[in-house]
Amino acid sequence: MDRPTVFVCRGSSCRHHKAHAEMRDRLAAVADVSDVRCQRICDGPVVGVAINGSLEWFERMGSEKPQRRFIDLLTGSGRMRKGLEKRRIAKRAGRLR
C-alpha cells in the first residue's frame, strides 16, 4: 500500500511553532512528508493531505490530540473525526500555493 503524502507548511509562523519538529517526526512515521511554502492560512502549524482525491488543509495542529486524529485519518478509514473537521480550512480545499 502506498504511503500518503502530507504537506507541511514551512512558513515562518508554522516552522517556528514549538511543536513543528515533533509533529513532522510523527507524520514521517506514517506518511511521506513534503515541505511546502507558506499557504497564507497562518494559524499554525498547518498541514495538508489529499482525502478522496481532494487536497484538504488543517490548522492549529500543534498539540498532540489533533495530531493523533490526523494520523488516524491517514492510517485508518479515511474518515474525518469531528475534532479534526473543526480544524479543516475549507477555503483552501483543493489548492496548493
Side-chain angles (χ1 to χ4, degrees), residues 81-95:
R81 291 174 45 193
K82 186 177 179 179
L84 194 57
E85 178 65 37
K86 290 180 181 180
R87 296 172 189 272
R88 184 176 159 267
I89 305 169
K91 70 179 182 180
R92 290 293 299 165
R95 298 185 308 185

Side-chain angles (χ1 to χ4, degrees), residues 53-72:
S54 177
L55 182 59
E56 300 291 344
W57 290 97
F58 300 88
E59 64 186 354
R60 298 177 288 129
M61 298 297 291
S63 63
E64 186 179 343
K65 194 171 188 177
Q67 290 174 21
R68 280 196 326 257
R69 288 180 176 161
F70 189 74
I71 289 171
D72 287 347

Side-chain angles (χ1 to χ4, degrees), residues 7-16 20 24 34-39 46:
F7 301 99
V8 177
C9 181
R10 64 175 167 82
S12 63
S13 293
C14 289
R15 80 171 176 263
H16 288 124
H20 187 265
R24 246 184 134 278
S34 179
D35 290 327
V36 295
R37 69 184 186 157
C38 180
Q39 296 299 301
V46 174

Side-chain angles (χ1 to χ4, degrees), residues 24-41:
R24 246 184 134 278
D25 292 342
R26 280 186 180 154
L27 293 174
V30 297
D32 296 328
V33 176
S34 179
D35 290 327
V36 295
R37 69 184 186 157
C38 180
Q39 296 299 301
R40 294 190 180 161
I41 46 178

